[in-house]
Amino acid sequence: MGIYFLLLIVGFCWAQYNPNTLSGKTSIVHLFEWRWVDIALECERYLAPNGFGGVQISPPNENVIITDPWQPWWERYQPVSYKLCTRSGNETQFRDMVTRCNDVGVHIYVDAVINHMCGANAGAGDHATCGSYFNAKTEDFPAVPYSGWDFNDGKCKSRSGDIENYHDISQVRDCRLVSLLDLALEKDYVRSKVAEYMNYLIDIGVAGFRIDAAKHMWPEDVKAILDKLKDLNAKWFSAGTKPFIFQEVIDLGGEPIKGSDYFGNGRVTEFKYGAKLGTVIRKWNGEKMAYLKNWGEGWGFVPSDRALVFVDNHDNQRGHGAGGASILTFWDPRLYKMAVGFMLAHPYGFTRVMSSFRWPRSFVNGRDVNDWIGPPSNSDGSTKPVTINADTTCGNDWVCEHRWRQIKNMVIFRNVVDGQPFSNWWDNGNNQVAFGRGNKGFIVFNNDDWSINCQWRDHSLIPKASCKSSSYSQL
């Protein structure tokens, strides 16, 4: 009996780390700020045929409408209720997207904003995407409902009520993140309302959740919410399948809160991955691609089976979040393709590809003062559709990195080599490297300013390099 119980617990925990993608599909894409109708089309016409396993979507629940600045991207991270209506679409469109994507084997992962509600200065009224009334000053959100009793004001010990010291664990988890009203997640009522929202999405057919701002919640509170979640919808998932969980935990080292604090709940976002890979690809601080031989845990990352990895995300491509100037984005297309290609070729972690929109950057004293700008929109604030050009790229200022030929092909490469070991590393001691993935694939990267002068004699993808320069080494 004891052994049987242990197996049940292990099975439950593992389900939180399993991305629930179909067999042979190994990556998801973040279609940041896309409309639900466009995601449904993209699942059918492009993602499924090219081997993408799923889509991370922007938060689907009602948020405050901010007009100063004009409807920024971050208003999506200021909830007013858990109703399903945003500028991405209404509940009918959301349900249609989930059904159509699931039907072609592309699953949906929701960005779940459950740490807080809107900002303390958001005012009172019905300026929200579903028209629900709220009063931020009195912490009244009748559409949930939440009242002042459901927030952490009494627990926060900082002078301002906001987080002032990231070395104070209680402040980070009990005080307001940039004035956002911090929910009292130790209360079972609040946990139940959050779980009710997430279970509603599970019933519709989503496959998992990105837990936004997980670092700002106590791990045991997150666990208590996850323990209330249902199994996934058996129409598209095997009976007993648990939702995939990946938690946003910014841990670059130097702070007391660690990504490992959250391993009991699911995977964590490994922010060091993109920051360090960007430094290497940019050749900053003397870094070289030759040093990537032990990439992964050897670089101080979390264990591979606990990591969700990415080159950039919606925050740090704007200088927010973590990683700083080393982060590579679509603004540096050649280096970006190399970094994403390396990520998709290497076996470490579960990979997420970014798909962005373009905005008019304007740097003042080294800072982009337009980093707030929301998705391509019409004069009435509605989001523009994602149009597809004749060459399969996107229009209307949608970047669609996932459609870039090199990135799409590497998504397919990762699917083909899935489960194969990292093998046969070669480098020239500088920025030319090559490696295999068992007997299924072999890839070469050249980030030097001169061509590779080698020939690989292939026998069952176990290569031997013949190079003219004596400075080249083969391992």
Side-chain angles (χ1 to χ4, degrees):
M1 184 68 177
I3 295 175
Y4 177 71
F5 177 75
L6 176 63
L7 288 174
L8 280 177
I9 294 298
V10 170
F12 175 83
C13 290
W14 172 245
Q16 308 287 333
Y17 312 116
N18 187 336
N20 298 324
T21 52
L22 293 184
S23 177
K25 294 188 175 185
T26 58
S27 300
I28 63 174
V29 57
H30 184 190
L31 298 182
F32 181 50
E33 283 274 18
W34 280 42
R35 303 183 312 161
W36 309 148
V37 293
D38 292 321
I39 294 175
L41 287 169
E42 191 74 348
C43 284
E44 295 167 340
R45 69 192 172 196
Y46 195 85
L47 300 180
N50 288 294
F52 287 84
V55 178
Q56 178 185 316
I57 63 170
S58 292
N61 59 301
E62 183 179 20
N63 59 266
V64 64
I65 296 174
I66 294 172
T67 55
D68 185 17
W70 175 254
Q71 294 193 234
W73 64 266
W74 40 262
E75 76 171 33
R76 298 290 292 267
Y77 292 85
Q78 298 203 26
V80 165
S81 81
Y82 299 129
K83 296 177 181 178
L84 300 182
C85 42
T86 66
R87 61 185 171 212
S88 288
N90 59 34
E91 180 170 342
T92 299
Q93 293 165 330
F94 181 85
R95 287 177 174 273
D96 180 65
M97 169 193 68
V98 173
T99 296
R100 289 167 60 185
C101 289
N102 277 335
D103 283 350
V104 294
V106 180
H107 297 322
I108 299 297
Y109 303 85
V110 168
D111 198 345
V113 184
I114 61 175
N115 170 69
H116 54 263
M117 298 301 280
C118 67
N121 298 317
D126 59 2
H127 51 292
T129 49
C130 300
S132 297
Y133 172 82
F134 69 97
N135 187 326
K137 184 175 181 180
T138 62
E139 300 177 330
D140 183 26
F141 297 89
V144 179
Y146 288 140
S147 70
W149 296 102
D150 300 317
F151 293 86
N152 270 333
D153 301 339
K155 289 182 68 178
C156 174
K157 304 305 180 185
S158 76
R159 181 168 305 203
S160 66
D162 287 356
I163 300 167
E164 299 171 354
N165 179 7
Y166 271 80
H167 290 276
D168 183 330
I169 294 176
S170 294
Q171 269 196 37
V172 176
R173 291 173 173 161
D174 291 335
C175 297
R176 296 174 180 176
L177 171 65
V178 292
S179 86
L180 298 166
L181 299 174
D182 200 63
L183 285 167
L185 293 173
E186 80 279 4
K187 293 185 61 175
D188 189 65
Y189 173 76
V190 178
R191 293 171 176 175
S192 295
K193 296 308 292 185
V194 170
E196 180 183 285
Y197 162 58
M198 296 172 76
N199 278 327
Y200 193 74
L201 296 169
I202 287 172
D203 286 343
I204 291 172
V206 306
F209 302 92
R210 171 193 182 265
I211 307 297
D212 178 67
K215 176 179 181 175
H216 300 282
M217 296 178 269
W218 294 92
E220 56 268 31
D221 290 340
V222 177
K223 182 181 185 303
I225 293 167
L226 298 180
D227 285 347
K228 294 177 180 287
L229 298 189
K230 300 178 179 181
D231 296 342
L232 297 185
N233 191 320
K235 179 177 179 181
W236 295 291
F237 303 94
S238 300
T241 302
K242 300 295 181 184
F244 178 41
I245 301 297
F246 54 106
Q247 304 157 96
E248 184 200 18
V249 182
I250 299 176
D251 173 16
L252 297 178
E255 294 179 11
I257 294 177
K258 306 297 181 187
S260 57
D261 298 343
Y262 295 82
F263 287 173
N265 300 326
R267 295 192 186 229
V268 297
T269 49
E270 180 48 281
F271 277 88
K272 292 189 291 290
Y273 190 102
K276 292 189 175 184
L277 186 57
T279 300
V280 172
I281 300 296
R282 291 184 187 275
K283 307 180 196 176
W284 286 359
N285 304 328
E287 295 286 6
K288 303 176 181 179
M289 289 192 77
Y291 300 158
L292 296 175
K293 183 183 178 184
N294 66 336
W295 184 246
E297 292 92 342
W299 280 62
F301 302 161
V302 302
S304 179
D305 62 359
R306 296 296 182 267
L308 186 288
V309 299
F310 46 95
V311 171
D312 64 326
N313 78 343
H314 66 281
D315 271 319
N316 61 21
Q317 68 175 197
R318 292 166 169 76
H320 296 253
S326 71
I327 296 298
L328 285 165
T329 72
F330 68 87
W331 298 106
D332 304 290
R334 187 186 73 83
L335 297 182
Y336 186 70
K337 291 170 187 175
M338 186 173 298
V340 176
F342 185 88
M343 176 184 76
L344 293 169
H346 196 280
Y348 176 83
F350 183 73
T351 50
R352 180 184 65 198
V353 173
M354 185 66 195
S355 191
S356 314
F357 59 81
R358 192 173 287 101
W359 71 95
R361 295 194 297 178
S362 177
F363 288 94
V364 177
N365 296 323
R367 178 182 173 271
D368 180 9
V369 296
N370 285 341
D371 62 3
W372 57 270
I373 290 179
S377 60
N378 301 303
S379 58
D380 63 356
S382 61
T383 301
K384 287 184 177 180
V386 179
T387 55
I388 307 300
N389 300 322
D391 63 357
T392 77
T393 60
C394 297
N396 273 346
D397 280 331
W398 297 98
V399 180
C400 295
E401 299 97 311
H402 69 286
R403 281 178 166 259
W404 292 1
R405 175 177 54 85
Q406 299 87 346
I407 291 176
K408 179 260 293 185
N409 286 344
M410 287 308 301
V411 167
I412 296 170
F413 179 95
R414 188 175 187 84
N415 290 342
V416 170
V417 302
D418 184 34
Q420 295 295 310
F422 177 76
S423 59
N424 301 305
W425 176 269
W426 171 91
D427 67 72
N428 71 338
N430 210 50
N431 288 292
Q432 297 175 355
V433 303
F435 59 88
R437 292 295 304 277
N439 63 358
K440 291 287 186 69
F442 188 72
I443 191 161
V444 181
F445 294 89
N446 182 9
N447 197 27
D448 278 330
D449 297 326
W450 57 89
S451 61
I452 293 180
N453 196 8
C454 292
Q455 290 182 333
W456 278 273
R457 299 189 302 277
D458 178 66
H459 176 65
S460 299
L461 288 176
I462 302 175
K464 292 183 178 181
S466 174
C467 307
K468 291 184 178 181
S469 172
S470 60
S471 65
Y472 288 20
S473 62
Q474 181 194 352
L475 298 174

